[in-house]
Amino acid sequence: MAEPVRNSGPDEGVALRAEDICMARGGHIILDHVNLTIRRGEVVVLLGSSGSGKTTLLRSLNLLNEPDSGRVSVEGTTIFDRGPDGRQGTRCTPRDLAQVRARMGMVFQHFNLFPHMTVLANIVEAPCRVQNIPRPQAEARARALLAQMGLERFSSVRPGRLSGGQQQRVGIARALAMEPSIMLLDEPTSALDTEMVGEVVSVIRTLARAGMTMVMVTHELGLALELADRVVILDQGKLIADGPPRTVLLHPTNARVQRFVGRFHASVEALRPLWEARRHDNPGTSPTAP
Amino acid sequence: MFDTSVVVQNAPLLFRGLLVTLAFTVTTIVAGLCIGLLVGMAQLSRTRLLRWPARVYVECLRNVPLLVTLLWIYYALPIFAHISVTRMTAGFVALTLYVSSFYAEILRGGVLAVDRGHIDAATALGMSRGHIFFRVVLPQAVSKMLPSLVGQSIIQMKNTTLLSAITVPDLLYQGTYVSSFTYHPVEIYTCIGAIFLAILLPMTMLARRMEQRHG
């Protein structure tokens, strides 16, 4: 089996790197030369209005959506490399890609739990099948994760019988069972009722504080402020801002960012005290805007 | 006058016919499921070389009346392909091919009905395509397909009555034979209808219950 191409040097400390990512479907540009680098332990929140390409960008990072061109590297391993002319650079075998994906936990907006399996089976399926972990060991790990999530009594229940918040926590547990080094979260609280958001947010908060590298698409500005080391704003497939949340959202540097932030003016103002409080804990750098 | 004694007197003949009907039903369903699974998977393949022939197979068989297929295999195959087939073989082949095209479509529909998000989730977890198909897609697809599969199998049993057109001694053929010398077709065909009803009604109810359970 061919070894996947590993880079060194400039990628030290980089968890994820997406370079010059382009994607178009049916003549419509979805991602337009997007560059994004995520360092280990960093929490990056992708913001943007509907159709801006943030979910597509997130899904491009583990190739659930394959870009037309660009380059994606995960912890120094290039998993996708294609020039604008369509010429393939580095090739990654399906097996290598699966191994890389297994190191990237993904949480979905609509949970996507396997409805025909119990909660426990949902969690142990991939560790047993992909990582070849013996079932008793995988089950012990799954039960420990369920206990952490406060869901241990639901291990033998089908996901359909759980509330949205509980299902999402199972989704997070399923991703964590693979012991990922990076978590991709696609609007993890968007499909939840207001009262269920809190239970999922608290799990995400715990993960972020434990130093997990996270890339999250969300519309929850409060969550972005509280957890994000960086906020990235996309507009019509273009990356228009990338920097600490306080700087990007309170001091937008160009008209497009101002327009986007303007839509959330009330929320931003309501959250200003939180930002100001956080400013002293985590002084940010200047935002970048292409 | 409705004379039930005609049925009783000729019960052994009718029973023999019923056994032939049941044998054809079961064997063609099993063979049809095997072929249907392969053709259905070929229809879902990314390779055009597999997808297109599978599509042609399904459309040709679904859109030609079963009786025509049956007669064509029995009468035309020896002429065009110089393959001589017995009436039993022709009946088995025609019924199998016909039902397999419907099973293939049911399988395709069942697989396509599985939420794409579940496949994404399995892919994101690093599962291989084989694992995803057999562990995530197929179990869900089967539960979605079951009511349609049972429904198609019910139709298959009724379709076996066409075998009498090529003189396969099934239940209908035996019934027609008995009526030809007893001159009591009403009693005989009523009895045949009752036999089909007794076998297929519970199956229909089972299919309906499955439909309710699996939405």
Side-chain angles (χ1 to χ4, degrees), chain A residues 180-199:
Chain A
S181 49
I182 301 162
M183 287 285 279
L184 308 176
L185 300 102
D186 183 13
E187 303 195 33
T189 56
S190 297
L192 303 179
D193 294 339
T194 319
E195 63 264 30
M196 290 172 189
V197 170
E199 55 193 59

Side-chain angles (χ1 to χ4, degrees), chain A residues 105-173:
Chain A
M106 186 154 192
V107 176
F108 297 86
Q109 182 181 0
H110 296 291
F111 331 127
N112 293 348
L113 299 175
F114 308 133
H116 58 294
M117 295 181 190
T118 63
V119 163
L120 191 72
N122 259 279
I123 300 173
V124 301
E125 183 68 19
C128 290
R129 303 264 162 193
V130 179
Q131 296 176 325
N132 295 320
I133 292 173
R135 199 166 182 91
Q137 199 182 322
E139 282 190 4
R141 193 200 283 176
R143 284 183 200 284
L145 280 166
L146 285 173
Q148 271 177 37
M149 306 278 168
L151 295 168
E152 61 271 47
R153 66 202 164 96
F154 297 111
S155 62
S156 54
V157 168
R158 296 274 172 103
R161 298 187 61 190
L162 303 180
S163 71
Q166 289 166 335
Q167 287 192 53
Q168 192 58 291
R169 282 183 284 157
V170 173
I172 296 171

Side-chain angles (χ1 to χ4, degrees), chain A residues 26-164:
Chain A
H28 177 70
I29 293 172
I30 300 168
L31 293 174
D32 191 0
H33 301 281
V34 175
N35 288 290
L36 184 67
T37 301
I38 291 141
R39 305 191 69 79
R40 287 205 178 100
E42 207 173 22
V43 177
V44 175
V45 169
L46 304 182
L47 293 174
S49 34
S50 293
S52 59
K54 52 193 189 303
T55 291
T56 310
L57 176 61
L58 187 83
R59 290 166 62 92
S60 298
L61 299 178
N62 64 353
L63 298 192
L64 279 188
N65 285 353
E66 197 172 285
D68 296 333
S69 65
R71 185 183 162 103
V72 180
S73 308
V74 179
E75 294 178 324
T77 304
T78 300
I79 56 169
F80 180 80
D81 185 7
R82 190 184 292 156
D85 53 357
R87 188 173 295 174
Q88 192 81 25
T90 311
R91 275 190 184 279
C92 183
T93 64
R95 189 176 290 231
D96 292 334
L97 179 58
Q99 280 175 2
V100 171
R101 279 175 171 152
R103 300 205 305 267
M104 302 167 81
M106 186 154 192
V107 176
F108 297 86
Q109 182 181 0
H110 296 291
F111 331 127
N112 293 348
L113 299 175
F114 308 133
H116 58 294
M117 295 181 190
T118 63
V119 163
L120 191 72
N122 259 279
I123 300 173
V124 301
E125 183 68 19
C128 290
R129 303 264 162 193
V130 179
Q131 296 176 325
N132 295 320
I133 292 173
R135 199 166 182 91
Q137 199 182 322
E139 282 190 4
R141 193 200 283 176
R143 284 183 200 284
L145 280 166
L146 285 173
Q148 271 177 37
M149 306 278 168
L151 295 168
E152 61 271 47
R153 66 202 164 96
F154 297 111
S155 62
S156 54
V157 168
R158 296 274 172 103
R161 298 187 61 190
L162 303 180
S163 71

Side-chain angles (χ1 to χ4, degrees), chain B residues 46-172:
Chain B
R46 291 181 186 177
T47 315
R48 226 180 268 178
L49 255 160
L50 288 173
R51 210 170 55 235
W52 282 33
R55 194 85 216 136
V56 170
Y57 173 91
V58 167
E59 294 310 334
C60 285
L61 284 161
R62 280 201 318 162
N63 294 302
V64 174
L66 174 58
L67 185 60
V68 174
T69 308
L70 184 66
L71 294 173
W72 197 89
I73 288 175
Y74 189 50
Y75 293 112
L77 214 57
I79 298 167
F80 294 120
H82 303 288
I83 300 169
S84 170
V85 285
T86 63
R87 57 195 170 153
M88 301 295 254
T89 310
F92 175 79
V93 171
L95 282 173
T96 300
L97 294 182
Y98 186 75
V99 79
S100 71
S101 67
F102 285 90
Y103 285 150
E105 269 303 278
I106 291 169
L107 180 99
R108 193 179 71 91
V111 168
L112 290 179
V114 172
D115 188 342
R116 176 76 220 174
H118 301 153
I119 300 168
D120 284 346
T123 309
L125 286 164
M127 291 168 78
S128 68
R129 284 180 64 190
H131 278 152
I132 293 171
F133 185 76
F134 287 107
R135 298 286 304 168
V136 177
V137 177
L138 202 58
Q140 291 190 66
V142 165
S143 85
K144 287 175 200 294
M145 291 185 300
L146 267 179
S148 307
L149 286 176
V150 174
Q152 190 57 47
S153 304
I154 289 168
I155 295 170
Q156 179 71 353
M157 184 170 179
K158 291 190 286 181
N159 280 343
T160 57
T161 53
L162 293 173
L163 293 173
S164 60
I166 55 167
T167 68
V168 171
D170 73 321
L171 182 57
L172 186 73

